[in-house]
Structure formats: C-alpha cells, structure tokens
Amino acid sequence: MSIGPKIKFWLYIITAFSSMGLQAGFVKDTLLVGVHQDPPFIIKNYEGRFEGLSVDLWDHIANEIDVTYKYVEYSDVIGIIRALDYNELDISINPLANNPQRIDKFEVTQPFYISSIGVAVTTLSRSQFQIFIDNFFSRDFLNIILLLLLILLSFGTILWFVERKQNKHQFRPGVLGLFDGLWWAAVTMTTVGYGDKSPKSNMGKTIAIIWMFTAVIIISSFTATIASTLTVNTLEARITGVEDLKTIEKIGIVGASEGEDFLLQHDMIPYQIYKTPLQALRALARKDINVLVHDKTSMEYLLQTNQLESKAALLPLTFNRQYRSFIMPKSHSYFDEINKLLITQIQKLSWNEVLQKYNLDHE
C-alpha cells in the first residue's frame, strides 16, 4: 500500500521535530546569574568583568556541575529579588541575607559568609590642643562650672546666714558677707585651708562638717566630668548602642540595603540615601554626613582599598548578624546540586585562601 503525499509530509514534519528535540536534549542550559556591585563580594573591574568572593565561589560550583551561565547585572537588590520572583533569573550570587520571608518564597542555600551591620564615623582632623581649646570654651564645660559655682554659693550662703550675727568679722553683713561664704566654701572644698574664714557657732560647725564630706564626693565626680569634657569628645565615645545612634544627626545609608532596613526597624529616619556604599563613604569622608550605617564587611573593604581610613573609621560595635547565601527560585532543578557543592566548597582549606584574597575572615 502506497503512502499518500499528505501522510509523507506529516511524517517528515514529525521526524524533523523529533530530530530537533533530540539535538536540544544535548544542549546545556545557560543559567542566568543575577548580580549587582557589592564589594568585596561582587566587584566589577575596569574591563567590565565581575570578580569578588561570591564570583570565585560561583565559578568553582559552575565548573563542578559543568554548566554554562551568563551574568545579568542589576542596580540593586530589589531588582534581583523581583527577577527571581518572576523566574527571570536562575540564581543570585550576591550575598543576600537570610530571613524567614525569603526562605518561604525562594530556595536559599547554606550561608557561606556571616557579616553584620556596622557603623562608620568621620575621624578627627584637629590637633589635641585645638580639641582642648574648643572644649574649654564649649557650653558643656560652662554648664559644669556654673553648676559648681551654684553649689558653692548655696553652702556659702547657708553658713553666712548662720554666722553673720556671731561672727561678724569673718562673715560680714550684706553682699560682702555672701562673698565671704562663697570664699569659705571654695577654700574648704579644695582643702587649701587658709583659716581666714571659719565658723564659730555650733550650728555653723555642723554645717561645715556636712559640707566637708559633701565636698569630697562632689570634687571627685566633678574632676572626672571636667576631665572627660576637656578631652576628646567624639562620636566614637558617644555611640555605644542603638539608643545612642538615635541621638546622632545626619545618618547616611545605602538605598535598598540591610542598613536601611535596620534604621526603619528602629524608627530612625536617614538624613541621606546613597546609591553605592563607596559613594556613601566618600560623603562621610567629606563630612556631608556624621554616621554611615551599612554592612560592616563592605565598609571595611572599601575603606582599605580606597585610602579612606584616615578620614573615616568603623566603630567596634555591630548590629544584626547577617547570614549570607545564594538564592534561587522555588523548586529550581539545580538547587540541591548547587547547595551541596557550596557546602563542600566552603569546607575546603582552599576557602580560607579565597577569604584571605579579599582580606576577609570569618566573623
């Protein structure tokens, strides 16, 4: 039985598509890898190529699974998360922080680096003598002196009031007597002991004893306060926690970053938002802002590589430990294999060499 022309045509079409399907089965998938510049994890060099800790880690994993890939650059994390949500990307190798929302919505790998939110401030460019002079004529120091004079005048006035009738020669009547009381209180507090003014009445001696013990406590506390006021009074000494940070004016952040989330969580409004951490650090060095809140690892790397350490410094405190991972769309076919290889890679001794390459250590 002969085969009609129409049947031959459809057999040809089916055979052609089957052949194409078989050939397509041997073509490797090209994974779309989302990145945005975030030194030292993702760095774009002068040649337009990507490097950094995350890139080195991904290169090893991609070579192990023998897959081809293509980098897709985004301007911020928000663009990457949106692309992952719409399955426009296969993976993000930026070190995105783990949180319950991302774990529910995406496939999140084992963390490969732990960082935290850090605080950078401007460093001092004035000499110690300039700082001393500025603080000597500051309002804080003036307030301390005025408070001390008020206490001296109070005790001196009380003693003058008691002694003014029985001891008229040493505690004169009128305004001059008030000065006599102030003089006695100052001499007694400083333990100079001229002896030209002394109480004669029993009530006056009782007041004098109370003042002597009180003066010992006051002079010790005032000495420490005055010393700290006249020495360097910097942001490094003032910021020891979140509450101190809330009192600082002109706080800068990088847009769409964990630093911005941190400020919002603690009801703080940023003074200025910058596109990149390097732009923010340069603004800090120019003293356009007083404080920068951002990822500590990123700021530390940029301070070193851009010669900004003389103009800005990191504080020794950190907030919100961040567990950094790769993120993929839900139920991605490559997730289990990539996650397994990532764990294997960071357990190798060579991983420490990769960290040292970018001057990083495990926190």
Side-chain angles (χ1 to χ4, degrees):
M1 184 177 67
S2 62
I3 301 175
K6 289 185 178 181
I7 296 177
K8 288 183 178 180
F9 172 77
W10 285 110
L11 286 175
Y12 173 80
I13 295 296
I14 293 170
T15 303
F17 274 104
S18 299
S19 177
M20 290 173 62
L22 291 172
Q23 291 176 6
F26 294 98
V27 176
K28 297 179 181 177
D29 294 332
T30 299
L31 298 185
L32 298 180
V33 181
V35 293
H36 83 92
Q37 296 188 61
D38 186 15
F41 302 100
I42 307 289
I43 305 167
K44 192 173 185 179
N45 60 26
Y46 293 108
E47 299 175 354
R49 299 179 64 182
F50 290 104
E51 55 188 31
L53 182 69
S54 295
V55 174
D56 287 1
L57 177 59
W58 169 247
D59 282 344
H60 283 95
I61 294 173
N63 288 335
E64 287 287 336
I65 61 178
D66 192 24
V67 67
T68 59
Y69 60 90
K70 175 184 177 182
Y71 287 123
V72 182
E73 186 176 6
Y74 290 82
S75 59
D76 53 36
V77 174
I78 295 177
I80 290 180
I81 295 296
R82 185 181 292 111
L84 287 169
D85 193 23
Y86 285 97
N87 288 305
E88 296 172 357
L89 287 175
D90 292 290
I91 186 171
S92 166
I93 65 169
N94 271 85
L96 300 181
N98 279 340
N99 59 51
Q101 293 76 22
R102 287 176 181 170
I103 292 175
D104 287 341
K105 200 167 189 177
F106 303 105
E107 299 286 6
V108 180
T109 67
Q110 166 77 19
F112 64 91
Y113 194 82
I114 302 173
S115 62
S116 57
I117 300 297
V119 180
V121 298
T122 56
T123 55
L124 295 169
S125 59
R126 299 176 297 165
S127 66
Q128 295 293 325
F129 179 74
Q130 287 176 316
I131 295 168
F132 178 85
I133 295 298
D134 290 344
N135 289 334
F136 187 84
F137 293 102
S138 68
R139 177 175 294 182
D140 290 340
F141 182 70
L142 179 61
N143 289 337
I144 293 172
I145 298 301
L146 290 176
L147 180 59
L148 182 59
L149 286 174
L150 180 62
I151 295 173
L152 290 171
L153 184 60
S154 299
F155 272 91
T157 301
I158 293 172
L159 188 71
W160 167 79
F161 184 79
V162 172
E163 293 288 315
R164 73 188 192 285
K165 293 181 180 179
Q166 301 182 36
N167 196 0
K168 295 182 181 180
H169 296 291
Q170 294 186 18
F171 296 93
R172 294 166 291 181
V175 177
L176 293 176
L178 293 175
F179 177 77
D180 292 335
L182 177 64
W183 172 259
W184 168 84
V187 169
T188 303
M189 185 183 70
T190 56
T191 66
V192 174
Y194 286 124
D196 56 336
K197 307 288 181 184
S198 59
K200 301 297 183 182
S201 65
N202 290 332
M203 180 61 71
K205 291 178 180 178
T206 302
I207 294 171
I209 292 173
I210 295 173
W211 172 239
M212 290 174 191
F213 284 104
T214 304
V216 172
I217 299 172
I218 291 176
I219 198 67
S220 60
S221 60
F222 267 82
T223 300
T225 303
I226 291 171
S228 63
T229 303
L230 290 178
T231 54
V232 180
N233 183 18
T234 64
L235 290 176
E236 289 93 329
R238 290 170 53 189
I239 303 176
T240 59
V242 175
E243 294 304 317
D244 297 326
L245 192 61
K246 290 181 178 180
T247 65
I248 303 301
E249 298 179 352
K250 297 184 179 181
I251 299 178
I253 58 168
V254 178
S257 68
E258 284 80 14
E260 182 177 21
D261 295 338
F262 175 78
L263 258 62
L264 294 176
Q265 289 170 5
H266 293 86
D267 300 320
M268 287 183 275
I269 300 175
Y271 173 79
Q272 188 66 47
I273 301 176
Y274 298 92
K275 291 182 178 180
T276 67
L278 181 57
Q279 183 185 29
L281 282 172
R282 285 172 175 166
L284 182 67
R286 295 192 304 267
K287 300 186 179 179
D288 294 341
I289 53 177
N290 295 327
V291 165
L292 174 61
V293 178
H294 190 61
D295 180 73
K296 182 181 178 182
T297 302
S298 178
M299 289 194 295
E300 190 172 22
Y301 177 84
L302 290 171
L303 286 171
Q304 293 175 354
T305 55
N306 291 275
Q307 291 77 47
L308 294 173
E309 292 175 299
S310 62
K311 297 180 180 180
L314 285 170
L315 298 185
L317 76 161
T318 57
F319 305 102
N320 291 22
R321 288 171 67 86
Q322 306 284 326
Y323 294 86
R324 308 289 184 173
S325 304
F326 291 167
I327 293 182
M328 305 177 70
K330 206 70 173 177
S331 303
H332 197 285
S333 58
Y334 277 99
F335 173 75
D336 290 336
E337 191 172 5
I338 289 175
N339 191 38
K340 179 181 177 181
L341 289 171
L342 183 147
I343 296 171
T344 303
Q345 188 62 37
I346 63 176
Q347 290 178 344
K348 292 181 179 179
L349 292 176
S350 58
W351 178 241
N352 290 326
E353 297 176 2
V354 178
L355 291 172
Q356 292 172 5
K357 177 181 176 181
Y358 299 100
N359 297 319
L360 299 176
D361 294 312
H362 287 293
E363 293 194 4

